[in-house]
Amino acid sequence: ETGVTQSPTHLIKTRGQQVTLRCSSQSGHNTVSWYQQALGQGPQFIFQYYREEENGRGNFPPRFSGLQFPNYSSELNVNALELDDSALYLCASSLEGLETDTQYFGPGTRLTVL
Amino acid sequence: SQKIEQNSEALNIQEGKTATLTCNYTNYSPAYLQWYRQDPGRGPVFLLLIRENEKEKRKERLKVTFDTTLKQSLFHITASQPADSATYLCASRKGSARQLTFGSGTQLTVLP
């Protein structure tokens, strides 16, 4: 069984730039969620994708967007980067239909915006 | 507003003692609570889930309780070891929302 993988591990961008983060789901999982985690805080839900469509969204502006591909891998895109976007971005996969939403997280991408 | 909260203060305990971490929720009734462990720079790892109709759940040295009267879940690690040092997060669904909402986590340090 292959776990959740994310790339890149670290990324440094400047304010105003755009970034794309990538995630491969755990095998057998059909749902992917993205979270932002600031230092000292819990993960904050950005959005979830199921069957290649957005299936729920947290309190994040439209410049945060995503995609899910037929193989259940996913991308998170952030446009017009702001300093406050500096955080650990976590991808988590799960299996839709289970009532308990247990999340299987990847190692995360550390984004620094200068 | 609906909240899920953990004691943000770090917890330091001596090796061999029992660590007890608290998760409180307000203004909603979760059907279940989940507990995760997170090591620095890594993603959270699922540990245990307890449903609202369960009083207690155990897994090896871990025990979770769920008190719907106090609106609280307690997470215990018995015979703690330095390797248990990490941040522990609780999470639940709020109402009909699809996503999990996480507490801010409690950092546990087990001293040798």
Side-chain angles (χ1 to χ4, degrees):
Chain A
E1 185 177 87
T2 307
V4 178
T5 60
Q6 292 186 243
S7 62
T9 307
H10 296 88
L11 204 51
I12 299 175
K13 291 284 188 178
T14 56
R15 198 169 50 180
Q17 285 189 310
Q18 178 266 342
V19 69
T20 297
L21 310 182
R22 294 179 173 81
C23 170
S24 290
S25 300
Q26 181 165 312
S27 58
H29 287 181
N30 55 15
T31 301
V32 64
S33 301
W34 285 91
Y35 294 83
Q36 180 195 67
Q37 187 175 27
L39 208 58
Q41 299 296 315
Q44 298 294 310
F45 176 77
I46 303 174
F47 43 57
Q48 181 183 88
Y49 277 81
Y50 171 64
R51 291 187 174 177
E52 302 174 51
E53 291 195 3
E54 191 177 286
N55 191 32
R57 190 178 183 93
N59 190 26
F60 280 80
R63 58 190 185 84
F64 286 78
S65 63
L67 285 172
Q68 185 185 30
F69 300 100
N71 65 355
Y72 305 127
S73 65
S74 177
E75 286 181 356
L76 164 66
N77 298 290
V78 187
N79 294 321
L81 284 167
E82 301 177 359
L83 297 179
D84 285 348
D85 295 334
S86 295
L88 181 68
Y89 287 85
L90 295 163
C91 167
S93 71
S94 57
L95 192 57
E96 177 70 14
L98 293 181
E99 62 176 307
T100 57
D101 293 328
T102 300
Q103 305 283 286
Y104 295 83
F105 285 89
T109 293
R110 171 70 63 186
L111 173 64
T112 302
V113 182
L114 302 176
Chain B
S1 62
Q2 298 173 337
K3 292 182 183 178
I4 183 167
E5 295 176 307
Q6 297 181 253
N7 187 349
S8 58
E9 288 186 19
L11 177 63
N12 296 329
I13 63 166
Q14 210 64 40
E15 183 176 6
K17 301 292 186 183
T18 296
T20 299
L21 286 65
T22 304
C23 178
N24 296 294
Y25 58 92
T26 53
N27 296 324
Y28 74 109
S29 298
Y32 57 80
L33 284 164
Q34 299 184 6
W35 285 88
Y36 291 78
R37 169 185 171 140
Q38 186 173 24
D39 292 289
R42 308 290 294 275
V45 174
F46 172 75
L47 295 175
L48 279 170
L49 177 147
I50 185 165
R51 300 178 189 279
E52 61 179 340
N53 61 351
E54 298 175 316
K55 295 287 188 187
E56 182 180 298
K57 202 79 164 286
R58 290 177 184 261
K59 178 182 175 182
E60 297 173 351
R61 295 185 295 110
L62 308 180
K63 184 178 85 171
V64 174
T65 62
F66 195 166
D67 189 326
T68 55
T69 301
L70 294 178
K71 294 186 179 294
Q72 182 180 81
S73 174
L74 298 179
F75 177 83
H76 306 272
I77 306 175
T78 58
S80 59
Q81 304 166 0
D84 296 325
S85 299
T87 296
Y88 291 86
L89 299 156
C90 66
S92 75
R93 268 198 190 181
K94 285 184 182 176
S96 59
R98 293 206 55 83
Q99 71 268 22
L100 281 181
T101 297
F102 284 82
S104 57
T106 298
Q107 183 177 346
L108 171 68
T109 300
V110 181
L111 304 168

